[in-house]
Every structure is written in structure tokens, then in C-alpha cells.
Amino acid sequence: MDGYQYNWNVVWQSLPELRQGLIITLQVSIMGMSLAIVFGLLCAIGRLSQYGYIRKFSVAVIDFSRSIPLFVLLFWVYYGLSLKFSINLTAFQAGAIALGITGGAYMAEVFRGGINAVDFGQREAALAIGLTQSKAFNLVVLPQAIRIIVPQAVNVYVGLLKGATIVSVIGVADMIYVAQYISLNSFTPFEMYSAVGVAFIALTVSIAGLAFLLEAKLNKGRSRG
Amino acid sequence: MSETLLQLRNVGKRFGDHVVLKDINLDIAKGEVVCVIGPSGSGKSTLLRCINFIAPPEEGEVIFEGRTWKRFHSAFNFIANRKYEAKLPTLRAEIGMVFQHFNVFPHMTAIENVVLGLTKVRGNTRNVAREIAERSLRQVGLGDKLDQYPEKLSGGQKQRVAIARALALNPKVMLFDEVTSALDPELVTGILDEMRRLASDGMTMVVVTHEMNFAFQVATRIVFMDAGRIVTIGTPEEIRNTTEPRARAFLSSILG
């Protein structure tokens, strides 16, 4: 980078704004993940349904949600809903919903994989002692599936977190938005975006650490980690 | 013969086009020990699963304590299916089942495995449930393993947890599905002794087994199955002297 004058001071000076952006990024990604968990669990249960047409419908919904680029989805949810159906969402709400739909498609597969990985005999044994279908699922199958689901769900969340950087295009004041805005005035895009990158690395590493602790807690009674 | 506890009437089961069970008729009296023998793939395990509707039979009916149970499934009527499925636990709660691969719940300690059914099915309080569970585990010789997770237990101990889990609910009949087949040889005797003790206590039992010595010693009647049908039923003495060719061939291949 010939002749480029680094100006890292800008980063230090804009820390309060970046911090604000970081909070928005976290908020929109956590909202998105919460929606993804609900949407994904519904799709996964649909895929495992005993009714063929519910299974097919769920597969279609999952394939559809997974195929749309997040960028396009954002425009559909934010502008499309507003233009076509007069549903006016805030940029934040639209961002969270778009992340929820994309993440939900991945979470559906994560849930399904986790549930299928639990030995079928577990469900049989739970039913055999007289538990209802839903109790057998909630008390016996799901707690075992969660050990498999958690690490993969963390991956999905990290993906959503990075996906959340796109929400700046519809004007959510996330970290990228802040970085872009500040570098417009100070001509320091390299410094600002690098700062965002470092923040994301720190976030991802912390999340991985938390996930590790959570997994250790879930693995009680099982020494294979 | 004392009163009939359990009857299978023309029970049939198929997976797709593959017929697994056909025309199964069997009456079991209170206190009987019925051993089911036959080559692998003859439908013995499926027969047990039909009795408690873990694998509901497509044809025929199961009559348990005078109440008739039939499979019901509608492709569209969710509510009717729900209603039917909601009734099944009342049947299953009266029928204990022990599996070849133990199927103990790995995320629960031994005592939690037993407590689960006592609280969630029988509606006992936690304290009462723990008391019953402890007694039940002591009976199968696991009094010192109450708070162990299954991972730390041997195969024989896991199977004892499974037996205690079923017995704690005070079932009217116990189903045993090749419960010693996955055990190390030195652990088999212990489990069989446990089952002998149950039989002599008067428990009604249906036992799918490859342990011929056990079957001929303990059974009140032996059912020989082949290709999804009951070929012959009789007392151990009758089966030993059977002239039915398939049963003869099976027994001579096993007993030598």
C-alpha cells in the first residue's frame, strides 16, 4: 500500500460509536438466532412428521429459505413486505427476520440431525414405560439430541453473526454501518474495517469459549467429549 | 388354568409389502411364563412390540385385561390420531419391557432412570418415587450404584437398571426381548437368575430368547415361530417331543 498513511487514531476516537454498532450487531444477530431456533425446530418437527405431505412441505420451506441469498431476503422482507402488503417493519426487525429465516433453514437440519442421532431404542424405551409421545420427546430424546445440537448451533450462530454485517445495507446502524459512516469523513476505511474484523474475531473466540463450557456441562455422564 | 390376562387375536404386521407377522393368536394366563423361540427374523421381537403397541399391528387386536386395543391411523385426521395415541400410554404403563440393547437413558443416573416413570407416568411425588426406585434397584442388586450414570456401569448392570425401571411401575406383565443377547457370557447367568426369581414370584412374562435351557426350565409354554407365524405352541415337554418338522429342525440345530 504505497503512500497510504495509516491513521489508527481514528479507530480509538470512534470506539464509542463502534461499541454502539457492536451492540446493535449483537442484538440483531441474537434476535435472528432466536427466530431461527423457533423456525428451525418447527421445520425439523415437520420433516420428522408421520404425515407425508407435512414432510414434503417442510422440505420445500427449508430448501427455499436456504437458497435465497441473505442480501435478497433482506430486500424482500424490508422493502417487499412494505410495497406489496403494506407491512412496515423497522430495519432492525426486517434484519432479524431475514436472519431468522436463513438461520432457521440451517437450524432445521441441525435439529433433525441431532434428533436422528439419538438411538431409536431410546424413544421405544420411553414409550414402553408409558410416557406420552411428547414427554418421551421432551424428557428423553431432546436432552440427548441437544448434546449434538449445541456445537452445531454455535456454528450457525457464528454464521449469522457474520451475516448480520449485511443488515447495514437497509440502514441498521451496526458495526459495519458505523465503520462505513466514519470512514466516509476520515478516509480511513482500511483501519475502520480492520477494527470491525478484530472485534468479530474477539466475539467468535469468546462464543467458542462459552460453547465449550456449555458442552462440558451437557456432557455429564458421558466421558467422550 | 387361571384367568386370561392377555390375548392376541389374528394379529398381523407388515412394513410396506414385507409381511413380518401373520395370523398370530395367543392367549396368556396370569402368572404364565411364555417363551418365544425361533430363527432370527421370524418376527419374535415384532410380536413383543405389537403387544404394547410400540409397533402397532396393522391387523387384528390385542385384548389386555378385557380391554380391546386396535391400531388406528388416519392419513388426515390429526385429532383422531392424537386421541388414539393419547390412550396408548395407559396400556403401556401396565406392561413392562426390557430390551436387547438395554436402552437405559444415558443422560440420567440409575435412580433417575427409574424415577422418571414413577413421577411422569404414575404421578408419584419425587420423594415417594425415589423411595420406590431405591427399593427396586436394591432388589436387582444395584443398591450401591444409585447415583451412577449408565456409562460407568457394565452391560449386566445396565440391564438390571432397565429391569428395575420396568418393575418399579408394578406392571401386570413383563416383556423380555432377547435381554441376554448383547451381554458378555459371564453376565448372562445373573440376568437369567433375576428372571427366574421374577417368574417364581408369579410375574406373567413373555420372553423372546435364544437361551434354550432357560426356556425349557422356566416356561409354562413355549411358542415356536417361523416366517412371521406361530408354528406350534406347547409345554416344554410337548415342544421337546414335537413332530412338527420345522420346530424339530430348529431345535436339533440348537440343541445338537
Side-chain angles (χ1 to χ4, degrees), chain A:
Chain A
M1 291 211 182
D2 271 351
Y4 187 85
Q5 291 290 314
Y6 292 104
N7 180 7
W8 293 102
N9 270 335
V10 174
V11 173
W12 300 116
Q13 282 157 11
S14 48
L15 273 184
E17 287 91 341
L18 281 173
R19 200 176 132 268
Q20 206 49 47
L22 173 71
I23 290 169
I24 299 284
T25 299
L26 277 175
Q27 280 173 341
V28 78
S29 64
I30 288 170
M31 272 306 293
M33 187 65 185
S34 309
L35 293 174
I37 288 171
V38 175
F39 179 49
L41 193 57
L42 287 177
C43 287
I45 290 172
R47 271 208 77 163
L48 297 169
S49 165
Q50 52 181 317
Y51 304 98
Y53 54 94
I54 294 183
R55 280 199 303 275
K56 281 183 193 135
F57 178 70
S58 306
V59 171
V61 170
I62 292 168
D63 282 349
F64 176 76
S65 321
R66 198 166 40 179
S67 320
I68 319 167
L70 183 56
F71 194 86
V72 177
L73 196 56
L74 266 179
F75 275 87
W76 282 356
V77 174
Y78 189 51
Y79 299 112
L81 287 184
S82 175
L83 289 173
K84 280 277 162 210
F85 305 103
S86 303
I87 301 172
N88 292 308
L89 299 168
T90 66
F92 182 89
Q93 288 166 342
I97 289 171
L99 287 172
I101 292 172
T102 306
Y106 289 103
M107 281 309 292
E109 294 300 278
V110 168
F111 280 123
R112 188 176 68 99
I115 292 164
N116 275 343
V118 177
D119 180 40
F120 189 72
Q122 291 291 314
R123 184 170 173 273
E124 279 194 338
L127 293 178
I129 59 173
L131 291 176
T132 59
Q133 304 243 19
S134 57
K135 278 183 185 166
F137 181 76
N138 292 334
L139 300 171
V140 174
V141 178
L142 197 56
Q144 296 183 58
I146 278 182
R147 293 170 169 170
I148 299 153
I149 290 168
V150 163
Q152 299 186 40
V154 170
N155 281 338
V156 172
Y157 178 65
V158 169
L160 282 193
L161 192 62
K162 289 189 280 190
T165 54
I166 295 180
V167 297
S168 58
V169 299
I170 54 169
V172 178
D174 74 329
M175 259 199 296
I176 290 287
Y177 187 90
V178 170
Q180 201 174 6
Y181 179 77
I182 290 173
S183 43
L184 276 178
N185 294 313
S186 59
F187 306 107
T188 53
F190 184 80
E191 291 85 338
M192 291 308 294
Y193 287 129
S194 297
V196 172
V198 169
F200 267 93
I201 293 169
L203 266 183
T204 309
V205 170
S206 322
I207 292 163
L210 284 177
F212 181 80
L213 292 178
L214 187 58
E215 274 172 57
K217 206 173 143 62
L218 288 170
N219 274 334
K220 65 177 180 182
R222 186 173 280 198
S223 56
R224 278 167 284 134

Side-chain angles (χ1 to χ4, degrees), chain B residues 7 46 50 68 71 79 98 107 125 154 160 181 198 222 228 247:
Chain B
Q7 292 169 282
T46 310
C50 281
T68 304
R71 182 178 195 262
I79 297 160
V98 186
H107 59 305
T125 63
S154 72
R160 284 163 195 274
S181 300
L198 261 182
I222 292 178

Side-chain angles (χ1 to χ4, degrees), chain B residues 58-101:
Chain B
E58 274 91 28
E59 291 153 28
E61 54 200 36
V62 174
I63 304 166
F64 181 72
E65 291 192 303
R67 187 166 170 190
T68 304
W69 298 84
K70 270 177 123 141
R71 182 178 195 262
F72 172 85
H73 181 78
S74 157
F76 290 95
N77 195 339
F78 293 77
I79 297 160
N81 286 346
R82 277 274 158 221
K83 268 190 173 161
Y84 158 77
E85 275 157 15
K87 283 187 212 150
L88 292 178
T90 59
L91 169 71
R92 292 176 183 142
E94 304 305 320
I95 301 176
M97 188 166 192
V98 186
F99 301 86
Q100 180 177 359
H101 295 289

